[in-house]
Amino acid sequence: MLSVFVYGTLQTGHPNHYLLGNALAKGNESDFSHDDEAAEFKGCAVTVDKRPLVIGSSFNVPFLLDRTGQGKQVYGELYEVTWPLMKKLDELEDHPNLYVRSEIPIQLLKEDNSSGDVTTLAWCYLLPNFKESLLEASPFYSRYSEGAVNKQYVAKVDRAPSSLKDEVKKC
């Protein structure tokens, strides 16, 4: 299984969580195969390093910019997923064309959401190519839900292919 840290629409209660939610039931079965799309929720987590999380484009998409040391520590969820599910996540995130899946250090949180003792590496989808002005013009968030208030996310199926990538070039 592969560790993946999600910070935006893949989190519980958000529009793309169905990809993980459908796989969670399979991951809880003792007889699942690693060829299945399966997931196991490991817990809430936070990035060890500060990173800029912005909500951008006319589609109100969360972008975790590939810039360590700027922004805030970002809160999300840690999952263990099978390779077939990781490939589905790559497809959603348009890896490696838009986002790039990179391993970053994250820290698991205790049940009361205080800092835990466990630090691990997890795959995370980062936006590597962006205009520097995005770092100056956008507010940074520590949680996707902070930036998503009063903003309607537009699902990938409701956008023209490559339209998000075209918008990111303008940001």
Side-chain angles (χ1 to χ4, degrees):
M1 300 271 278
L2 305 160
S3 295
V4 63
F5 174 74
V6 298
Y7 55 84
T9 64
L10 284 164
Q11 292 182 93
T12 304
H14 292 285
N16 290 319
H17 181 70
Y18 71 91
L19 286 168
L20 291 166
N22 292 343
L24 283 170
K26 192 69 169 173
N28 290 331
E29 297 173 9
S30 59
D31 63 343
F32 84 91
S33 162
H34 286 278
D35 294 330
D36 294 330
E37 292 173 8
E40 181 182 347
F41 178 70
K42 302 307 283 183
C44 293
V46 64
T47 59
V48 170
D49 302 311
K50 291 180 180 180
R51 294 179 178 273
L53 173 62
V54 301
I55 310 299
S57 83
S58 63
F59 306 118
N60 296 312
V61 172
F63 299 114
L64 191 55
L65 306 181
D66 191 5
R67 185 63 59 89
T68 305
Q70 286 185 261
K72 301 178 178 184
Q73 286 184 289
V74 177
Y75 290 81
E77 298 171 344
L78 180 66
Y79 291 86
E80 295 285 326
V81 302
T82 57
W83 180 243
L85 182 56
M86 183 67 88
K87 289 193 296 190
K88 272 235 166 127
L89 299 178
D90 284 351
E91 184 180 318
L92 173 75
E93 304 293 4
D94 197 14
H95 165 73
N97 302 312
L98 179 61
Y99 290 92
V100 172
R101 180 170 30 92
S102 301
E103 276 191 307
I104 65 168
I106 61 104
Q107 183 177 53
L108 274 168
L109 299 175
K110 295 179 183 175
E111 282 192 28
D112 64 0
N113 282 337
S114 64
S115 294
D117 299 334
V118 178
T119 300
T120 188
L121 289 176
W123 292 106
C124 181
Y125 293 94
L126 304 175
L127 186 69
N129 300 314
F130 55 90
K131 290 188 177 179
E132 290 295 314
S133 58
L134 191 56
L135 292 169
E136 298 159 9
S138 299
F140 301 139
Y141 300 101
S142 59
R143 288 179 166 79
Y144 169 63
S145 57
E146 293 172 356
V149 174
N150 299 322
K151 294 181 180 178
Q152 182 66 41
Y153 169 76
V154 179
K156 187 174 183 176
V157 298
D158 296 327
R159 302 180 221 143
S162 85
S163 57
L164 181 59
K165 191 172 183 178
D166 293 340
E167 280 204 32
V168 168
K169 290 177 185 175
K170 298 175 193 173
C171 289

